[in-house]
Amino acid sequence: MTVLDKTSKQAQKLGPGALVMVVGPSGAGKDTLIYGYRDRCEGDTNIMFARRLITRPADAGSEPHEAVCHEEMSQLIDQGRVALSWPAHGLTYALPECIDDHITKGGIAIANGSRKALAEAVEKYEKLLVVHITAPIHVLAQRLSIRGRETAEDIEQRLRRADLSLPELPHLVEIQNTNDPEVGIDQLEQAITAFMR
């Protein structure tokens, strides 16, 4: 790749705003910290919190999201009408294209993302902060067991087999979410504030 090619590719990255992608294993408390920070940002029009599109019914007892069928999701992805998308647990997840409009206008978009979408995000966005929310495996297992879908032992074994590592990234902050949620929310806020200086 020539210097000109590299410059052209860099110029195509989306900016001047930023995407903050919050990632981490199930049970880490991503939604808790995101929603807590959202409450602190109420009224700040420069910050957008993405509402994900998921091929799962809206009343499935999970996060508030836009429910779409598999066929509709495939069409949106094929037509380039989502910002990012990735498969997980037999479902397809996507971030709405409105976050790209917000970022293009200089805003900050915050989204619950996935490690599976990081490579695409790095290529696409000029400013990308990845916040990795995590906790020890036994804590994750305990939190997941409260959901009642699997036994604590089954969950812990699954987590031990899972690859919870992250690739090398330009801007990565890790938060061990084992304390009071307010501590994690403080850390998330501090990471975003430092990144945007």
Side-chain angles (χ1 to χ4, degrees), residues 170-192:
H171 302 285
L172 172 65
V173 173
E174 182 170 290
I175 295 174
Q176 285 283 336
N177 188 27
T178 56
N179 300 303
D180 183 283
E182 289 299 318
V183 175
I185 297 166
D186 285 343
Q187 292 176 309
L188 176 60
E189 182 174 18
Q190 290 162 9
I192 294 171

Side-chain angles (χ1 to χ4, degrees), residues 6-172:
K6 288 180 180 178
T7 303
S8 176
K9 187 173 184 180
Q10 289 171 351
Q12 292 173 359
K13 287 194 174 186
L14 210 60
L19 174 62
V20 177
M21 187 179 286
V22 181
V23 302
S26 295
K30 299 184 294 294
D31 285 336
T32 298
L33 301 193
I34 291 172
Y35 294 157
Y37 182 55
R38 183 182 65 184
D39 290 342
R40 295 184 182 185
C41 297
E42 189 173 358
D44 187 343
T45 57
N46 190 52
I47 299 178
M48 170 186 282
F49 290 84
R51 186 181 176 95
R52 302 196 294 185
L53 288 73
I54 310 177
T55 54
R56 175 172 59 200
D59 60 351
S62 58
E63 66 177 278
H65 65 276
E66 296 295 329
V68 298
C69 67
H70 288 278
E71 182 179 357
E72 182 183 0
M73 180 72 88
S74 295
Q75 290 176 351
L76 290 172
I77 293 171
D78 291 344
Q79 295 167 6
R81 292 170 55 202
V82 298
L84 294 171
S85 64
W86 62 92
H89 312 298
L91 302 170
T92 303
Y93 294 73
L95 300 183
E97 62 181 340
C98 63
I99 72 168
D100 286 351
D101 295 333
H102 187 70
I103 291 170
T104 300
K105 294 172 183 174
I108 303 168
I110 299 174
N112 184 341
S114 169
R115 289 171 296 145
K116 295 179 181 179
L118 287 179
E120 185 181 353
V122 167
E123 289 297 316
K124 182 172 182 177
Y125 297 98
E126 182 180 337
K127 296 178 183 175
L128 173 69
L129 170 64
V130 177
V131 181
H132 183 214
I133 312 293
T134 190
I137 286 178
H138 71 276
V139 174
L140 298 175
Q142 184 180 36
R143 291 174 181 169
L144 290 174
S145 68
I146 294 172
R147 298 180 183 180
R149 298 174 189 170
E150 299 172 273
T151 67
E153 184 178 348
D154 288 341
I155 292 168
E156 188 160 347
Q157 288 179 359
R158 176 164 61 84
L159 288 171
R160 289 190 187 283
R161 290 194 302 268
D163 178 11
L164 303 180
S165 62
L166 289 176
E168 286 189 24
L169 297 161
H171 302 285
L172 172 65

